[in-house]
Structure formats: C-alpha cells, structure tokens
Amino acid sequence: MSRPSVVQQAGVGAVLLLVDLMVIAWLLYGYGMTGWADSYDASPSPDAASRAARQAMWFLAGGAVVTGGGLLALGWRISGMMQFLLLGGAAGVFALFASP
C-alpha cells in the first residue's frame, strides 16, 4: 500500500477542516441558545448549558479519537493530527464551558 502524498493529505485536511469548523459552530450555537434559555429559567434545576457543553465535549472528544485515530492508522499523518488537535482542542474548550 502506497503512502498518500502531502498534497492529498493537505486537500483532505482542508475539507475536514471546513466540516469540523461547521460542526464546532453548530455546537457553539446550541450551547449559546441553551445558555440564553437558561437565563429565563427561574427554577433551581441543574444548568442546561453546562449539560449541553458536556455533551458537546464528549461528542468532539469521540470524534477526535475516531477520525484522528482512523486517519493515523491509514497513514494519513497530517490529516489525522489535524483532527486530533482541532477536535481535541474544541473538546477542551467545551470542557471549560461545562465547569461550574
């Protein structure tokens, strides 16, 4: 099996970057809307925004492991590391949002 060229890896990385940024933007929008709705809720229930951030964190961390690990296993080092760093970093940001 031949290794993919740097140009192929960069192309796949660029496409995955766009997809990842759209997913992260969608999750940020959902977190923001949930936080906005929480501001109108007077009940002492657990914070729904932190729950949404925790769900987003696990979603992104799982995506980082599955896509990044899969690409690295296939020998696509540039794309795999980009997935690990971008999705893992976004998961870390959502982990900060989820903390009380």
Side-chain angles (χ1 to χ4, degrees), residues 3 7 10 14-15 18-19 25 29 31-32 35-36 41-42 47 51-53 56 59 63 67-68 72 85-86 97:
R3 294 271 190 222
V7 175
V15 170
L18 291 174
V19 172
Y29 175 77
Y31 170 73
W36 173 76
D41 189 14
D47 190 18
R51 191 172 340 114
F59 179 75
T67 60
L72 286 173
L85 294 175
L86 182 65
F97 290 161

Side-chain angles (χ1 to χ4, degrees), residues 16 20 58-74 76 79-81 83-85 87-88:
L16 288 174
D20 291 344
W58 284 112
F59 179 75
L60 290 170
V65 169
V66 170
T67 60
L71 287 167
L72 286 173
L74 291 173
W76 292 70
S79 301
M81 286 308 296
Q83 288 293 101
F84 267 130
L85 294 175
L87 294 178

